[in-house]
Amino acid sequence: MKLKVGDQVKITLGKDRGKTGKIEAVLPKKNSVVVPGVNLYKKHVKKQGDKAGQMVELPRPLTLAKIALICPHCHQPTRIGYKMDKKNKVRICKKCGKNL
Ligand SMILES: [Zn+2]
């Protein structure tokens, strides 16, 4: 996974196209991430005991194809590159070249 929790992303496809948010969870097996408040769907919660039933909105995971990372340095949607920094592989912005 190139993206990690806390990355700022922009949604590029789908009904929430144009929205931005911070990644809250990464699901490597599904190649997806969860961004709060984006790609919401309504879920009915049934009445339980004396708690009334209600509708809750939950964010659904977004596949990586639908999002772009926003670089914290140049503030543009960008792609992620990698370079070796001593022994560590570091992520870099392909637009401005700074470490992400
Ligand atoms: Zn950049």
Side-chain angles (χ1 to χ4, degrees):
M1 286 290 281
K2 288 186 168 183
L3 296 171
K4 56 188 186 183
V5 172
D7 279 346
Q8 191 83 19
V9 292
K10 182 172 188 170
I11 287 70
T12 57
L13 285 171
K15 71 183 172 82
D16 288 320
R17 185 170 51 200
K19 281 191 187 175
T20 59
K22 258 189 186 169
I23 295 177
E24 185 182 65
V26 174
L27 312 169
K29 279 184 192 162
K30 290 183 176 173
N31 246 341
S32 302
V33 299
V34 176
V35 180
V38 174
N39 210 27
L40 294 176
Y41 72 103
K42 289 191 171 73
K43 190 181 174 187
H44 292 268
V45 178
K46 280 186 185 166
K47 185 172 175 258
Q48 284 177 327
D50 48 6
K51 267 193 195 166
Q54 57 174 331
M55 296 275 287
V56 292
E57 286 193 319
L58 294 168
R60 198 179 264 173
L62 289 152
T63 63
L64 294 187
K66 291 187 176 179
I67 57 174
L69 180 77
I70 296 176
C71 172
H73 305 290
C74 61
H75 304 285
Q76 291 190 66
T78 187
R79 287 201 279 163
I80 295 169
Y82 288 97
K83 69 170 184 186
M84 294 303 288
D85 181 14
K86 292 172 190 156
K87 283 186 176 175
N88 298 315
K89 200 170 163 190
V90 294
R91 301 191 311 169
I92 56 164
C93 167
K94 284 209 172 171
K95 285 200 172 144
C96 67
K98 290 192 177 157
N99 288 8
L100 292 169

